[in-house]
Amino acid sequence: MTTPKKDVLQSLWDFFCSLKLTMSLLISLALISIIGTIIPQGIPPQEYLAQISQAKLKFYKAAGFFDMYHSWWFILLLYLLTINLIACSIKRLPYIWKIITQPVTVLDPGLERSLTNLTTIKSPGASEVVGERVAAFLKSEFADPVVTRSDGALHLFAQKTPWCRLSVYFVHLSVIIIFIGAMIGSMFGYKGYVNITEGESISKVVSRSEKELPLGFSLRLEQFSIAKYANGAPKEFKSILTVLENGRPVPDYTNVRVIVNDPLTYKGITFYQSSYGNAGNYFFTVGDLDGKNTVSLTVAGQGSVSLPDGSSMHVTEATKDVSQFVPELSGPAAQVELHSRDGKTESFVVYANHPGLNIEHAQQHGTGPVLHYKGAEEKMYTGLQVAKDPGVEIVWLGCILMMLGIYTAFFMSHRRIWIRIQDGAVTVGGNASKNQGGFQLSFEVLVTQLKAELTKEKHT
Amino acid sequence: MTSSLLFNITTFAYLASMLIFFTFLAARAKTLGTAAIALAYGGLFAQTVAIGLRWKESYDMGMGHAPLSNLYESVVFFSWTIVLIYVLLDLTFHYRVIGAFVMPFALLGMAWAQLGMNTGIEPLVPALQSNWLLYHVITCFLGYAAFAVACGISIMYLIKAGSEESAEKSAGNALLAMFPPIKVLDDLNYRAIMVGFPLLTLGIITGAAWANYAWGTYWSWDPKETWSLIVWFVYAAFLHARITKGWVGKRAAWLSIIGFAATIFCYLGVNLFLSGLHSYGGK
Ligand code: HEM
């Protein structure tokens, strides 16, 4: 008797146990994941937004396309995959478990018909004597057999690596373990960044969502430096960092070198070299065309200042020797960006050794002001990415389990040999859970050896 | 002897091997098959020496690094791994005719690299200065190469299965006489993917480990990462197709071809059409 309710549950269960669902989910995940590789993820850049229509933008936002790998429908697919995985395992595991723990040890006619590897060897002689020979042979050439007497026949059963039938379950378990690790990471960890100026220390970092997070210790930048290849391409960005607890350097964490690909980890928080810049001040003078009203001007490395005429400026780049860019010129130079009060922006170079050029520039643009560059203070800051992920070890555990599982699932096989000795005939059958072709060959070799063994016995 | 001369010799050996394989299909003379595969082995040997030499040359130039640092070097390495996997398959199963559908991939790679790309040795940018680069690139490319071989086999499967269905004994079928039976092709396809899938998985894991070590996140949904996961999903689907009713045979062969198309997009398309962290292609 089945009630309607039971039917619903039963069909739901069948739905989740189906491998067709697995196929659909894997293919859907593959197809849907493409979206996020075409539409930029996170905060979309301005140029991209300018390209697409308002209607499209609205739709993308509502559908979560700008953060699709965290959208409810993508996560839902992952949950469905997990349920499918667990349901399939629950359904099949008992059957596999039975094969492993309660092997069929008797070669009966039904089993005999199902085996493709099957041979009969004639061997007159007492069953018991032949049986002992065969058992010794199996033990030395294959595996220790189990001997059973039934219906006047002697049955021997031997098997190798039955446990490897469990490997796919370990692969599937590993997928779930990786999910768990990822969830722990997203619940209890964070990603952030921090800038530290040479000689200064910080004790808080800023998370991706712009929240301030206290570290529980301080970190000081001792020095930042850049090494270059002969052709000018960057070779190494290096920060020398010291961890401070209550203002005092921690012995093993003093003057630690951090470069790209070689981070610093302290108390589960890791700092990665990611960017750099100048934090020192730039020095200028500013005045009228005729040189009157000249005052000195200091621009902070990352900041901007207002000029007497109401415009504002900041430095985009500076060099100690301009001749590497323009061979006819020499000395320090700074590239500045000037925003005038009427909203115009202009970018130009100000020199230290070529006041004439600075004046000429001002003349071309009307009445001034005239800027002269006086050099910069040498002070770098380093930009560090900061990450804390307490789930990462679990993810690695899942990965290792996955690799071991895939390896044993593909390259190991549960091999079984059954032998029945009855009325002067030795019937040998065998099968393997994997690599049937390879098993067939080794089965044939085994049978040939067994034949030789049994005939040799007759002569002595 | 310089590496670039040897790479040219390799390209010609692969070209000759492929052409002789095609003739072999038509003429069905055993000696032709032997000549074709001998050229493939010879080319593989020359290429192995060339890759070693290029490695040494980079040290002589004072910036020693494994020859896996830019698009040119990776395409050359890809082509090498394809022939390597094919040779290993031939040594185990002795179906050399598969070469007719695999050598074109290897030749395409070498010809494109030698004719269309800057072959100079360049210094390694800071982001790539890590031993993880070696583990990551080698496992990924061995995986890709196994998928290339599987794709060649799947094409043969579809051709043969198609002609058996139409059952017309047309002239074209003489060519197909050289093909292994479809059951064997199906099995070889599975075996190639059985090699490729663990390697791709390991490639993704080493990539994640490297990203975690260098940037603090093992996964950031960068387009390259995402595409490698897409490839992984397709081959996971292939593995399950074999045990799912209605998916055995032709559909599985199509999955293998689609998987390889996704692999190529992951390798080249992402660099050419999308932006992200793995931008060392493009040049
Ligand atoms: C919805 C999720 C999944 C379900 C329901 C599922 C189900 C299954 C089932 C029922 C089998 C056959 C087991 C047997 O022969 O007794 C299998 C095999 C396998 N599965 Fe999955 N699976 C899923 C996802 C995955 C994923 C994501 C992977 C990725 C590594 C995977 C890897 C494998 C492998 C390697 C095999 C062995 C295939 C072979 O021996 O050819 N599965 N899966």
Side-chain angles (χ1 to χ4, degrees), chain B residues 46-182:
Chain B
Q47 196 176 5
T48 312
V49 175
I51 291 175
L53 261 181
R54 188 177 167 98
W55 201 333
K56 183 182 164 293
E57 283 163 15
S58 82
Y59 274 93
D60 296 343
M61 290 167 69
M63 48 198 175
H65 59 75
L68 298 169
S69 69
N70 59 20
L71 188 61
Y72 168 78
E73 289 174 344
S74 75
V75 170
V76 167
F77 184 67
F78 186 27
S79 150
W80 181 79
T81 52
I82 291 175
V83 184
L84 179 72
I85 298 274
Y86 165 60
V87 160
L88 292 179
L89 205 69
D90 175 64
L91 288 175
T92 338
F93 301 110
H94 315 287
Y95 288 107
R96 58 181 48 155
V97 60
I98 291 164
F101 288 80
V102 172
M103 291 313 291
F105 292 122
L107 173 67
L108 213 67
M110 280 314 284
W112 182 39
Q114 290 303 104
L115 301 175
M117 281 187 225
N118 174 12
T119 62
I121 298 178
E122 293 159 10
L124 211 51
V125 298
L128 298 183
Q129 290 164 8
S130 167
N131 279 336
W132 284 108
L133 174 70
L134 220 58
Y135 311 139
H136 176 54
V137 173
I138 289 177
T139 47
C140 282
F141 278 96
L142 282 170
Y144 293 176
F147 296 150
V149 173
C151 175
I153 295 170
S154 297
I155 294 171
M156 293 174 83
Y157 178 94
L158 289 176
I159 296 174
K160 182 122 180 167
S163 85
E164 278 180 10
E165 261 169 35
S166 65
E168 291 164 37
K169 295 283 166 211
S170 62
N173 286 0
L175 276 179
L176 301 180
M178 297 305 297
F179 283 27
I182 57 165

Side-chain angles (χ1 to χ4, degrees), chain A residues 16-19 21-23 25-26 80-89 92 95-96 165 167-169 171-172 174-175 402 405-406 409-410 433-434, chain B residues 190 194 197 201 232-233 236-240 242-243:
Chain A
F16 278 116
C17 284
S18 121
L19 270 164
L21 176 66
T22 313
M23 294 298 294
L25 286 173
L26 288 172
L80 285 177
L81 190 81
T82 311
I83 296 172
N84 186 199
L85 200 60
I86 295 171
C88 266
S89 302
R92 296 189 182 218
Y95 164 73
I96 300 290
R165 282 185 185 265
S167 341
V168 296
Y169 297 95
V171 176
H172 293 149
S174 74
V175 174
M402 179 178 282
I406 292 179
F410 285 170
S433 62
K434 217 66 220 185
Chain B
Y190 177 57
M194 240 164 61
F197 191 74
T201 310
W232 193 75
F233 282 140
F238 173 91
L239 291 174
H240 294 93
R242 300 179 50 84
I243 44 175

Side-chain angles (χ1 to χ4, degrees), chain A residues 214-287:
Chain A
L215 290 173
F217 55 88
S218 305
L219 190 65
R220 186 167 69 205
L221 176 66
E222 309 291 356
Q223 198 199 4
F224 177 84
S225 59
I226 305 171
K228 295 196 167 163
Y229 286 109
N231 70 358
K235 182 177 182 181
E236 186 183 85
F237 306 115
K238 181 169 70 182
S239 300
I240 305 290
L241 297 166
T242 296
V243 177
L244 308 166
E245 288 274 16
N246 305 316
R248 270 195 299 276
V250 179
D252 285 340
Y253 293 88
T254 301
N255 293 326
V256 185
R257 185 191 74 140
V258 171
I259 59 175
V260 178
N261 278 320
D262 198 0
L264 160 71
T265 302
Y266 183 71
K267 287 194 170 167
I269 303 177
T270 310
F271 300 87
Y272 303 85
Q273 183 63 54
S274 107
S275 66
Y276 67 94
N278 190 3
N281 293 326
Y282 299 103
F283 303 109
F284 294 88
T285 62
V286 55

Side-chain angles (χ1 to χ4, degrees), chain A residues 32-94:
Chain A
I32 287 179
S33 299
I34 296 175
I35 299 174
T37 67
I38 296 169
I39 298 176
Q41 298 293 292
I43 301 156
Q46 219 54 45
E47 312 92 74
Y48 179 79
L49 293 182
Q51 272 177 32
I52 62 172
S53 69
Q54 276 301 313
K56 233 179 181 178
L57 180 67
K58 239 186 192 160
F59 172 67
Y60 283 7
K61 269 201 177 138
F65 280 1
F66 291 123
D67 192 15
M68 69 150 275
Y69 303 108
H70 304 101
S71 67
W72 65 268
W73 41 270
F74 193 78
I75 305 279
L76 178 70
L77 275 180
L78 293 180
Y79 274 121
L80 285 177
L81 190 81
T82 311
I83 296 172
N84 186 199
L85 200 60
I86 295 171
C88 266
S89 302
I90 291 176
K91 189 170 168 190
R92 296 189 182 218
L93 199 53

